[in-house]
Amino acid sequence: MRSPATVACIQVEPVILDRDATIEKLGRLAAEAAGNGAQLLVFPEAFVPAYPSSVWARALAGWAQPGAKEAFAMLARESLEIPGDAADHLGGIAREHEVWLVTGVTERDPERPGTLYNTLLYHAPDGSLAQKHRKLVPTNHERLVWGQGDGEGLRAIETGLGRLGGLICWENYMPLARFALYESGVEIYVASTADDGDSWQSTLIHIAREARAFVVSPSHFQRASSYPDDFPLAGLLAENGSDLIGRGGSAILAPDGSYLAGPLYGEEGILYAQLDPERLDEERQRFDPAGHYHRPDVLGLRVSPNPGRVQTS
C-alpha cells in the first residue's frame, strides 16, 4: 500500500435464493458505498444467492427427507456460472462505480454442472474478473452442499489499493492456506464468513496480528421470514424457534488486531474504515510472517493451484 484506501464491509441480507434480485440489491448497495468514498467493497460468504444455513441444509443428509432434494435443486438453479451473465453483471457493477468488488457466491461450473462450489470473486474497477477462489474444504453441513475447491486464488493480487487476497470462513483455520497469502505479500486480507459466533472475533484478531495486515470480514445476515414462500424446507425454518438465523458479526481490523469498525450484530449495515499504509510498516517492524520472521531455509510451502484438472484441447 502506498496511500490510504477506504473499504466497505457490507453486512446485508440477500434476496434469498433469487440470484438476479440479489445482484440487483448488491448494485444498489455498491452505489451507496461508492458514493460514501469506498474503493473496495466486500460482501459475505455465499451472498449470491444465499448461504445454506445449517438450520435447513442438515436435511440434505437424509436419504428420504421430504423437500431436501428440491431445496438443493433450488439453490443450484439460482447459483452463478462463470462465465455467465450474472458474473458479467457483477463486473459491470464494479466498472460502473470504479471499485474493487469482492463477492461470495455459490458457483456452478457450466461444463460440469453437477457440483457446486463456495467461491470468492474479485472484480476489478474495469469490470474484469481479476481472481477467483473456491473454498478448499467445505465445513460441517456445507459438505452436503459444495464440492472441494482448489489452490487457485491462494495468493494476493496487486490492486492499486494494496495487495488483496483472502480465504472463506473456516479456511482461515488452515495454517498453510493463510501462509500462502502471507508469502504473496497480502496487505488487505478478506475473511468472508458465515460464522456468527463470538469466538470468530478472536480468530480475526489472531489473523490480523499474524498477517500484520488489515482484515475485512463480512458475515452473513439472514432471517427465516425472508425465505420465499415456496422454499421446500420451510418447516425446518419454522422449527428453529428464532427468526434470526444469521446474526452477522462483520468487522474491519488493523494490523495490530484492533478494531477499526464493528463487530456488527443483529442488523444490516455497512462498516467503513480508512486503511493507512503506515500501520503496516509500524506492525511489521517486529513481525513479518513471510519476511524477517520466516526461515525459508528450514520451512517451505508448495501450492498446487489446480491439481488433477483435466486438460482439454
Side-chain angles (χ1 to χ4, degrees):
M1 295 183 70
R2 293 180 174 82
S3 59
T6 301
V7 301
C9 181
I10 301 173
Q11 177 175 297
V12 295
E13 192 173 37
V15 182
I16 296 178
L17 296 174
D18 188 328
R19 177 192 57 240
D20 295 338
T22 296
I23 293 175
E24 289 294 335
K25 181 174 182 177
L26 183 152
R28 295 192 294 273
L29 292 161
E32 177 183 344
N36 287 325
Q39 300 154 283
L40 167 65
L41 284 52
V42 188
F43 284 82
E45 175 182 12
F47 180 70
V48 182
Y51 178 78
S53 169
S54 60
V55 170
W56 61 266
R58 56 188 168 86
L60 302 179
W63 288 102
Q65 173 73 42
K69 290 183 178 180
E70 293 81 359
F72 180 83
M74 177 179 286
L75 176 65
R77 287 195 303 271
E78 296 299 321
S79 296
L80 182 150
E81 294 187 349
I82 302 169
D85 292 342
D88 290 345
H89 192 172
L90 290 174
I93 292 169
R95 182 172 58 251
E96 178 183 358
H97 301 291
E98 299 181 318
V99 295
W100 277 92
L101 176 64
V102 182
T103 313
V105 305
T106 290
E107 177 199 356
R108 186 174 191 172
D109 187 338
E111 293 187 4
R112 301 173 183 84
T115 299
L116 306 180
Y117 298 95
N118 182 341
T119 301
L120 206 56
L121 303 179
Y122 298 72
H123 283 94
D126 65 0
S128 63
L129 181 60
Q131 178 146 276
K132 179 183 80 170
H133 172 61
R134 291 174 174 173
K135 189 174 186 178
L136 290 167
V137 182
T139 304
N140 198 33
H141 68 281
E142 295 174 0
R143 301 188 188 202
L144 302 168
V145 179
W146 293 308
Q148 291 192 327
D150 53 38
E152 185 178 1
L154 283 181
R155 61 186 178 89
I157 56 173
E158 182 56 62
T159 67
L161 305 177
R163 296 192 65 79
L164 174 68
L167 298 173
I168 304 168
C169 204
W170 277 28
E171 278 189 315
N172 289 285
Y173 290 129
M174 300 174 72
L176 299 183
R178 295 199 308 272
F179 191 71
L181 296 181
Y182 303 163
E183 279 201 315
S184 60
V186 66
E187 295 170 316
I188 306 172
Y189 185 121
V190 172
S192 62
T193 190
D195 189 337
D196 61 1
D198 293 338
S199 61
W200 180 250
Q201 299 304 318
S202 60
T203 296
L204 297 179
I205 293 170
H206 173 82
I207 290 171
R209 289 177 58 82
E210 182 180 70
R212 290 309 203 254
F214 295 101
V215 174
V216 184
S217 181
S219 184
H220 95 121
F221 180 81
Q222 203 176 110
R223 293 168 294 190
S225 57
S226 297
Y227 274 75
D229 293 338
D230 61 348
F231 182 61
L233 294 173
L236 293 179
L237 298 174
E239 292 173 7
N240 185 53
S242 172
D243 186 44
L244 194 62
I245 58 177
R247 68 181 185 129
S250 299
I252 305 172
L253 290 83
D256 64 352
S258 63
Y259 284 90
L260 298 174
L264 176 66
Y265 288 105
E267 61 181 325
E268 293 184 306
I270 302 178
L271 301 177
Y272 296 94
Q274 186 176 72
L275 312 186
D276 184 350
E278 288 189 9
R279 298 293 299 275
L280 295 170
D281 293 332
E282 291 170 357
E283 297 305 323
R284 291 181 173 182
Q285 180 266 324
R286 294 184 178 181
F287 184 83
D288 180 359
H292 62 77
Y293 217 97
H294 179 36
R295 285 293 303 277
D297 57 323
V298 177
L299 303 167
L301 173 65
R302 177 180 60 85
V303 177
S304 300
N306 298 298
R309 175 168 290 185
V310 177
Q311 300 296 320
T312 58
S313 58

Short mmCIF file of all heavy atoms in Angstrom, two decimals, residues 52-76:
data_model
loop_
_atom_site.label_atom_id
_atom_site.label_comp_id
_atom_site.label_asym_id
_atom_site.label_seq_id
_atom_site.Cartn_x
_atom_site.Cartn_y
_atom_site.Cartn_z
N PRO A 52 -26.33 -21.39 2.64
CA PRO A 52 -27.20 -22.50 3.03
C PRO A 52 -27.08 -22.80 4.52
O PRO A 52 -26.24 -23.58 4.95
CB PRO A 52 -26.69 -23.66 2.17
CG PRO A 52 -25.26 -23.34 1.92
CD PRO A 52 -25.17 -21.85 1.85
N SER A 53 -27.92 -22.20 5.32
CA SER A 53 -27.84 -22.32 6.77
C SER A 53 -27.98 -23.77 7.22
O SER A 53 -28.73 -24.56 6.64
CB SER A 53 -28.95 -21.48 7.41
OG SER A 53 -29.07 -21.76 8.78
N SER A 54 -27.27 -24.10 8.30
CA SER A 54 -27.37 -25.44 8.87
C SER A 54 -28.77 -25.73 9.40
O SER A 54 -29.13 -26.89 9.59
CB SER A 54 -26.35 -25.62 10.00
OG SER A 54 -26.59 -24.68 11.04
N VAL A 55 -29.57 -24.68 9.61
CA VAL A 55 -30.94 -24.87 10.06
C VAL A 55 -31.70 -25.78 9.10
O VAL A 55 -32.51 -26.61 9.52
CB VAL A 55 -31.65 -23.51 10.22
CG1 VAL A 55 -33.15 -23.68 10.43
CG2 VAL A 55 -31.04 -22.73 11.37
N TRP A 56 -31.40 -25.64 7.80
CA TRP A 56 -32.09 -26.48 6.83
C TRP A 56 -31.16 -27.38 6.01
O TRP A 56 -31.57 -28.46 5.57
CB TRP A 56 -32.94 -25.64 5.88
CG TRP A 56 -32.20 -24.62 5.05
CD1 TRP A 56 -32.01 -23.31 5.34
CD2 TRP A 56 -31.57 -24.83 3.78
NE1 TRP A 56 -31.30 -22.68 4.35
CE2 TRP A 56 -31.02 -23.59 3.36
CE3 TRP A 56 -31.42 -25.93 2.94
CZ2 TRP A 56 -30.33 -23.43 2.16
CZ3 TRP A 56 -30.73 -25.79 1.73
CH2 TRP A 56 -30.19 -24.54 1.36
N ALA A 57 -29.91 -26.98 5.82
CA ALA A 57 -29.02 -27.77 4.97
C ALA A 57 -28.71 -29.14 5.57
O ALA A 57 -28.38 -30.09 4.84
CB ALA A 57 -27.72 -27.02 4.70
N ARG A 58 -28.85 -29.30 6.89
CA ARG A 58 -28.63 -30.61 7.51
C ARG A 58 -29.60 -31.66 6.98
O ARG A 58 -29.33 -32.86 7.02
CB ARG A 58 -28.77 -30.50 9.02
CG ARG A 58 -30.10 -29.93 9.49
CD ARG A 58 -30.08 -29.66 11.00
NE ARG A 58 -31.21 -28.88 11.45
CZ ARG A 58 -32.39 -29.38 11.77
NH1 ARG A 58 -32.58 -30.70 11.70
NH2 ARG A 58 -33.37 -28.60 12.18
N ALA A 59 -30.73 -31.20 6.45
CA ALA A 59 -31.72 -32.13 5.90
C ALA A 59 -31.19 -32.87 4.67
O ALA A 59 -31.71 -33.93 4.31
CB ALA A 59 -33.00 -31.38 5.54
N LEU A 60 -30.16 -32.32 4.04
CA LEU A 60 -29.61 -32.97 2.85
C LEU A 60 -28.94 -34.29 3.18
O LEU A 60 -28.65 -35.08 2.29
CB LEU A 60 -28.61 -32.03 2.16
CG LEU A 60 -29.16 -30.66 1.73
CD1 LEU A 60 -28.06 -29.84 1.08
CD2 LEU A 60 -30.34 -30.81 0.79
N ALA A 61 -28.68 -34.54 4.48
CA ALA A 61 -28.08 -35.81 4.88
C ALA A 61 -29.10 -36.94 4.92
O ALA A 61 -28.72 -38.11 5.00
CB ALA A 61 -27.42 -35.67 6.26
N GLY A 62 -30.37 -36.60 4.90
CA GLY A 62 -31.41 -37.64 4.97
C GLY A 62 -31.77 -38.17 3.60
O GLY A 62 -32.13 -37.41 2.70
N TRP A 63 -31.68 -39.46 3.43
CA TRP A 63 -31.97 -40.06 2.13
C TRP A 63 -33.39 -39.79 1.68
O TRP A 63 -33.67 -39.63 0.50
CB TRP A 63 -31.73 -41.57 2.18
CG TRP A 63 -30.28 -41.95 2.24
CD1 TRP A 63 -29.58 -42.34 3.34
CD2 TRP A 63 -29.35 -41.96 1.15
NE1 TRP A 63 -28.27 -42.59 3.01
CE2 TRP A 63 -28.09 -42.38 1.67
CE3 TRP A 63 -29.44 -41.66 -0.20
CZ2 TRP A 63 -26.95 -42.50 0.89
CZ3 TRP A 63 -28.31 -41.77 -0.99
CH2 TRP A 63 -27.09 -42.19 -0.45
N ALA A 64 -34.31 -39.76 2.65
CA ALA A 64 -35.72 -39.63 2.29
C ALA A 64 -36.36 -38.39 2.92
O ALA A 64 -37.58 -38.34 3.07
CB ALA A 64 -36.48 -40.88 2.72
N GLN A 65 -35.55 -37.40 3.29
CA GLN A 65 -36.08 -36.19 3.90
C GLN A 65 -36.93 -35.42 2.90
O GLN A 65 -36.44 -34.99 1.84
CB GLN A 65 -34.94 -35.30 4.37
CG GLN A 65 -35.36 -33.93 4.88
CD GLN A 65 -36.02 -34.00 6.25
OE1 GLN A 65 -35.57 -34.72 7.11
NE2 GLN A 65 -37.10 -33.26 6.41
N PRO A 66 -38.22 -35.27 3.16
CA PRO A 66 -39.08 -34.55 2.21
C PRO A 66 -38.59 -33.13 1.97
O PRO A 66 -38.28 -32.39 2.92
CB PRO A 66 -40.45 -34.54 2.91
CG PRO A 66 -40.40 -35.69 3.87
CD PRO A 66 -38.97 -35.76 4.33
N GLY A 67 -38.47 -32.76 0.72
CA GLY A 67 -38.09 -31.41 0.34
C GLY A 67 -36.60 -31.17 0.22
O GLY A 67 -36.18 -30.12 -0.27
N ALA A 68 -35.77 -32.13 0.65
CA ALA A 68 -34.32 -31.90 0.65
C ALA A 68 -33.77 -31.77 -0.77
O ALA A 68 -33.03 -30.84 -1.08
CB ALA A 68 -33.62 -33.02 1.41
N LYS A 69 -34.13 -32.72 -1.62
CA LYS A 69 -33.63 -32.66 -3.00
C LYS A 69 -34.12 -31.40 -3.70
O LYS A 69 -33.39 -30.77 -4.46
CB LYS A 69 -34.07 -33.90 -3.77
CG LYS A 69 -33.38 -35.19 -3.33
CD LYS A 69 -33.82 -36.35 -4.21
CE LYS A 69 -33.10 -37.63 -3.83
NZ LYS A 69 -33.52 -38.77 -4.67
N GLU A 70 -35.37 -31.05 -3.44
CA GLU A 70 -35.94 -29.88 -4.09
C GLU A 70 -35.25 -28.59 -3.62
O GLU A 70 -35.04 -27.66 -4.41
CB GLU A 70 -37.44 -29.80 -3.80
CG GLU A 70 -38.26 -30.91 -4.43
CD GLU A 70 -38.24 -32.22 -3.64
OE1 GLU A 70 -37.56 -32.28 -2.58
OE2 GLU A 70 -38.88 -33.18 -4.09
N ALA A 71 -34.87 -28.55 -2.32
CA ALA A 71 -34.18 -27.37 -1.81
C ALA A 71 -32.80 -27.23 -2.46
O ALA A 71 -32.38 -26.12 -2.82
CB ALA A 71 -34.04 -27.46 -0.29
N PHE A 72 -32.09 -28.35 -2.59
CA PHE A 72 -30.78 -28.29 -3.24
C PHE A 72 -30.93 -27.86 -4.70
O PHE A 72 -30.13 -27.07 -5.21
CB PHE A 72 -30.08 -29.65 -3.17
CG PHE A 72 -28.72 -29.64 -3.82
CD1 PHE A 72 -27.61 -29.19 -3.12
CD2 PHE A 72 -28.55 -30.06 -5.14
CE1 PHE A 72 -26.36 -29.16 -3.72
CE2 PHE A 72 -27.30 -30.04 -5.74
CZ PHE A 72 -26.20 -29.58 -5.03
N ALA A 73 -31.94 -28.38 -5.39
CA ALA A 73 -32.16 -28.01 -6.79
C ALA A 73 -32.45 -26.52 -6.92
O ALA A 73 -32.00 -25.87 -7.88
CB ALA A 73 -33.31 -28.83 -7.37
N MET A 74 -33.17 -25.95 -5.96
CA MET A 74 -33.44 -24.52 -5.99
C MET A 74 -32.15 -23.73 -5.85
O MET A 74 -31.92 -22.75 -6.58
CB MET A 74 -34.43 -24.15 -4.87
CG MET A 74 -34.73 -22.67 -4.78
SD MET A 74 -35.92 -22.25 -3.46
CE MET A 74 -37.45 -22.84 -4.22
N LEU A 75 -31.29 -24.16 -4.91
CA LEU A 75 -30.00 -23.49 -4.75
C LEU A 75 -29.17 -23.59 -6.01
O LEU A 75 -28.54 -22.62 -6.45
CB LEU A 75 -29.26 -24.10 -3.56
CG LEU A 75 -27.85 -23.56 -3.30
CD1 LEU A 75 -27.89 -22.09 -2.91
CD2 LEU A 75 -27.15 -24.37 -2.22
N ALA A 76 -29.16 -24.77 -6.63
CA ALA A 76 -28.37 -24.97 -7.85
C ALA A 76 -28.87 -24.08 -8.98
O ALA A 76 -28.07 -23.48 -9.71
CB ALA A 76 -28.42 -26.44 -8.26
#
